[in-house]
């Protein structure tokens, strides 16, 4: 079974066409560093951050705390990291 890390970030991940704040930068850097060591990384964010743009591959969105818990159950991560996370 692979080691899976789910990173819950309050904000959007860095993208060329959208502004980003520190939360998204920290989440992306952490995810990239973990991937470089062979860890499977997935991201989660509140859907409000992706109303005007599709979520990138590897990022799931949720509406509320119940939705976040559903994501956690569905992804079944080995570790959950919250970067100023919702829920």
């Amino acid at each position: 079974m692979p080691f899976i890390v789910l990173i819950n970030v309050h904000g959007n991940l860095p993208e060329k066409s959208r502004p980003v704040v520190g939360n998204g930068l920290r989440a992306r850097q952490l995810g990239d560093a973990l991937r470089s060591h062979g860890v499977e990384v997935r991201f989660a964010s509140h859907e409000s951050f992706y109303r005007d743009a599709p979520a990138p591959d590897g990022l799931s969105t949720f509406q509320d705390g119940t939705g976040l818990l559903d994501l956690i159950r569905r992804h079944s991560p080995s570790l959950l990291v919250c970067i100023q996370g919702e829920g």
Side-chain angles (χ1 to χ4, degrees), residues 12-49:
N12 59 288
L13 296 176
E15 300 169 56
K16 287 183 183 181
S17 61
R18 299 180 70 197
V20 66
V21 297
N23 301 338
L25 293 172
R26 284 186 286 278
R28 173 61 75 201
Q29 288 175 330
L30 176 60
D32 289 349
L34 289 169
R35 283 185 177 132
S36 76
H37 289 281
V39 175
E40 185 176 337
V41 176
R42 299 173 186 164
F43 296 93
S45 185
H46 192 273
E47 69 177 17
S48 64
F49 295 107

